[in-house]
Amino acid sequence: MALAEPVTKALAEILGREALLTDPGDCWAYGYDNSRRQALPAAVAFVTETAQIKALVQLANEYAIPITARGLGTGTTGATVPERTGIVIAFERMNRILRIDPANRLAVVEPGVVNETLQRALSEHGFFWPPDPTSAAVCTIGGNLAYNSAGPRAVKYGTPRENTLGLAAVTGSGEWVRTGVMTTKGVVGYDLTRLIIGSEGTLALITEATLKLTPLPEGKQTLRATYRDIHAAADAVAAIMAQPITPCALEFMDASAIEMVRRYSDLGVSTETGALLMIEVDGPADCLSAAADAVASAARNDGLLELSVARDQEQIAALWRTRKALSPALRHVAPKKINEDVVVPVSRIAAFIEGLEHLSQRYGIRIVNFGHAGNGNIHVNLLVDPDKSDEMRRAERCLGGVFDLVIELDGTLSGEHGVGLEKRDFVEREIDPSALALMRGIKAQFDPKTILNPGKGLPLTAGSA
Amino acid sequence: MALAEPVTKALAEILGREALLTDPGDCWAYGYDNSRRQALPAAVAFVTETAQIKALVQLANEYAIPITARGLGTGTTGATVPERTGIVIAFERMNRILRIDPANRLAVVEPGVVNETLQRALSEHGFFWPPDPTSAAVCTIGGNLAYNSAGPRAVKYGTPRENTLGLAAVTGSGEWVRTGVMTTKGVVGYDLTRLIIGSEGTLALITEATLKLTPLPEGKQTLRATYRDIHAAADAVAAIMAQPITPCALEFMDASAIEMVRRYSDLGVSTETGALLMIEVDGPADCLSAAADAVASAARNDGLLELSVARDQEQIAALWRTRKALSPALRHVAPKKINEDVVVPVSRIAAFIEGLEHLSQRYGIRIVNFGHAGNGNIHVNLLVDPDKSDEMRRAERCLGGVFDLVIELDGTLSGEHGVGLEKRDFVEREIDPSALALMRGIKAQFDPKTILNPGKGLPLTAGSA
């Protein structure tokens, strides 16, 4: 659906010719994300100023045009795919680091700043911003905030909700709002900051974020532990989390993930290995050995096969090799993977992996699991060949079983990827009707005409957006 | 205003005779908080079950009766004072610790649990819940959540918003909702958990909280640093916060606070002392000395007079003596103190204290300052004698000046006490009309008939509740 002439004209006036795409061939590249879904936007607006965003949202309200915010398209749920066409607001050029303030442990950034670019700039001042998605090199802070995306470090340092002080944003009705504070404490009015974080561009478009910084630790030590089976590894995770030293990474791979890597590379772990943990501790240089010892001691149990501690960069790289070989291996093995990021309480990890094995057998779908064990955040990968008769249908039924299992174990359907289009039909399994009604009410407050990313994040209602 | 006969009858049916007060003499004691404001509720309901709370709220909706939630009345803003009479829901008997779960680092509690009672129970498992208001011995978790109250440890461990995973609550329309997750990651739906935390019982009545626990550190080391003036102390605070070891307490007293204590006790600090910092570091026993050294080194500057490190419990007590002598001294010196808890960015502390000195001189009001310097959370105490001609009026004008100064310095009007009645007239100095409109909209979603704690937290509107 092309835009009406006056809309295109108004867009050009707001943005200038250089910052507007309307040709379908040009627009197409801005209509996908890493879910591999794609839809054609009618226009792509490369914003650089808040005033432009306000004007765009007001225009969209006037003509009832959907607006989809986009960072760099690394999301995995279709949240940035303009399913109902309309205007994609691309934040990639609104990417200035406005302020780095070590004494107040904060940075003020525009949403298009790439995570890694920010980390590099902060490291010169001795700081970092804890959220570190795997895609840090190519994902934006705006995207991290939109999905509350974290990564391995969250086990020690938390997610964006624990690391953001305040926001500036434009709501769905085109109002500019400032939320939160410039300080680490504050309790005046309701917490709109965390409400907007994780809302996938459905409530407001973030134009500026005040991030809480953490000082860089002096050093880091890396351990790898292999176990006979998932039970032993899960026991180790629980034991590690029950003692005072919190690791800054506590990653795991299950038997099927290890098996997968084994086919494509030299693993360096014994063939009996049924589960693997990668553990990192950080802190003052003088304390690292003691911290590693404490964690290693918690990691030891009857099912432990081998515990290795890296002594230098080369050994660290060697230990991580298995884990890093996983993603390429996954790409080799199956034409399509359904990559979920569910979370279960740490004490339920073993029960969860066992349940997944049953589902895998029942539906004849290969499932490979790895993830952030310290948070119970498991990336469940269903490997499927869409060309194989019936396989997609079985995979979908299997996925329904995975989500049921997660809920049964007191877990949540998404840890850091969000809901987008992929999971909106499953949200009602987790969220009660009364909570959902409140969320819909809040959405209507921020975005009365359902302009912002319609149909994403929350389940569709009969006859509504 | 007494309740209508059918209401009293329904209350008795919901609660039973033992859990209901309607005699004004009995009710009076439940109508005050530590703001020293007081109002008479028509009834006091000692709830113990969620079903009772749902029934109460539904009844209140039917008869348009205000409901005010109450923990143990340690709040300082009048948020629990039933200004418009109605029913006080007292949570003091709904005080069970439902679950302590070390492997998942969480506890599930009812809102009436006393903070210190919880901490004692958790310590047996090697854990604590970071929020530690000064009133920890007599305040409830429900109250801590209502005001997002923290305390000294927040500088390292955060406030309730960073230490709560999920809630169960009854909204103003009598709906039971479950928010959040049982895990440390989760991004399905909007964040209602943090929205309810800090909302002072105006959105929903918390019936259960899932708290995120932290392992107890092995040890702690205490330092005291005295400085020639506030600039030197503020520089030290900024330097401490800019290096990697975050103290678990970084408290300060200004010259007027020190002077005050000096009158009533033997201080043990030199008469030149213009500011004082209490610093604590915690962590593994082997690392404490190194951590203390790192912080001490950051604390040293040209204005440092003396830096003492406590070596044992007795020395720790000696170092804290000055700080602990402050509250009793404040009670001696003035019939009334207006106790504010504003926050400014750490780098603005010196400018703030200087500005306060000017205001003190200008209005002829004595001001004593101390607080949580690591968060920039300053407890500003205006000492006044209400019997002295004109003094209250001058104090109120002075207070307006304090709030203006806070906003000018990018601060916030409340760090952990909240707004209640005391600060509702000042909220608009901090929060923009557009954000305030969203907050009012959210309030209307949760509590369409304005039953819950009407008139608290947000500024009054013309002709509205």
Side-chain angles (χ1 to χ4, degrees), chain B residues 174-214:
Chain B
E175 292 278 337
W176 182 85
V177 287
R178 188 171 281 288
T179 74
V181 285
M182 302 293 284
T183 55
T184 46
K185 275 185 176 176
V187 60
V188 176
Y190 302 144
D191 187 349
L192 303 183
T193 304
R194 271 77 167 204
L195 192 61
I196 293 174
I197 295 176
S199 70
E200 306 186 356
T202 63
L203 297 180
L205 303 170
I206 296 169
T207 59
E208 194 183 294
T210 304
L211 306 176
K212 181 184 167 194
L213 306 183
T214 301

Side-chain angles (χ1 to χ4, degrees), chain A residues 8 24 63 73 90 110 118 122 127 224 260 310 340 352 390 404 427 437:
Chain A
T8 317
Y63 291 90
E110 291 182 337
L118 175 65
L122 296 177
F127 285 87
R224 189 181 69 187
M260 175 127 314
E340 292 303 334
F352 182 56
D390 201 35
D404 282 341
V427 167

Side-chain angles (χ1 to χ4, degrees), chain B residues 250-261:
Chain B
L250 180 46
E251 301 288 295
F252 106 112
M253 289 168 64
D254 78 347
S256 57
I258 297 166
E259 168 60 24
M260 174 126 317
V261 176

Side-chain angles (χ1 to χ4, degrees), chain B residues 6 15 69 363:
Chain B
L15 296 157
Y363 292 104

Side-chain angles (χ1 to χ4, degrees), chain A residues 99 101-106 125-127 146-148 150-152 154-156 158-159 161-162 171 175-192 194-195 197-200 202-203 212 215-218 237-238 240-247 284 286-288 290 341 343-348 372 374-377 410-419 423 427 430-432 434-446 456-458, chain B residues 99 101-106 125-127 146-148 150-152 154-156 158-159 161-162 171 175-192 194-195 197-200 202-203 212 215-218 237-238 240-247 284 286-288 290 341 343-348 372 374-377 410-419 423 427 430-432 434-446 456-458:
Chain A
R99 183 171 149 203
D101 182 347
N104 294 309
R105 290 190 172 190
L106 65 84
H125 300 268
F127 285 87
Y147 308 118
N148 198 36
V155 61
K156 178 165 181 178
T159 71
R161 283 196 181 120
E162 287 83 38
T171 67
E175 291 279 336
W176 181 83
V177 287
R178 187 170 281 287
T179 75
V181 285
M182 302 292 285
T183 56
T184 47
K185 274 185 177 174
V187 60
V188 175
Y190 303 144
D191 187 348
L192 303 182
R194 271 77 167 205
L195 193 61
I197 295 175
S199 69
E200 305 186 356
T202 64
L203 297 180
K212 181 184 167 194
L216 282 166
E218 273 178 21
V237 170
I240 291 167
M241 294 307 285
Q243 55 82 51
I245 305 293
T246 303
D286 290 346
C287 304
L288 281 179
D341 90 309
V343 192
V344 295
V346 164
S347 67
R348 317 301 284 273
H372 316 303
N375 295 107
N377 187 190
D410 279 339
T412 174
L413 300 181
S414 178
E416 54 185 13
H417 294 178
V419 171
K423 288 191 186 174
V427 167
E430 176 170 341
I431 296 181
D432 298 322
S434 53
L436 210 48
L438 289 171
M439 292 175 190
R440 290 194 204 283
I442 290 168
K443 164 76 175 170
Q445 285 300 326
F446 277 79
K456 311 288 176 61
L458 299 181
Chain B
R99 182 172 151 203
D101 183 346
N104 294 310
R105 290 191 172 189
L106 65 83
H125 300 267
F127 284 87
Y147 308 119
N148 198 37
V155 62
K156 179 165 181 177
T159 71
R161 282 195 182 121
E162 287 84 36
T171 67
E175 292 278 337
W176 182 85
V177 287
R178 188 171 281 288
T179 74
V181 285
M182 302 293 284
T183 55
T184 46
K185 275 185 176 176
V187 60
V188 176
Y190 302 144
D191 187 349
L192 303 183
R194 271 77 167 204
L195 192 61
I197 295 176
S199 70
E200 306 186 356
T202 63
L203 297 180
K212 181 184 167 194
L216 281 167
E218 273 178 19
V237 171
I240 291 168
M241 294 307 286
Q243 55 82 50
I245 305 293
T246 303
D286 289 346
C287 305
L288 281 178
D341 91 310
V343 192
V344 294
V346 164
S347 68
R348 316 300 284 273
H372 316 302
N375 297 107
N377 187 191
D410 278 340
T412 174
L413 300 181
S414 179
E416 54 186 12
H417 293 179
V419 171
K423 287 189 185 175
V427 167
E430 177 170 341
I431 297 182
D432 298 323
S434 52
L436 210 49
L438 289 170
M439 292 176 190
R440 290 193 203 285
I442 290 168
K443 163 76 176 170
Q445 286 299 326
F446 276 79
K456 311 289 175 60
L458 299 181

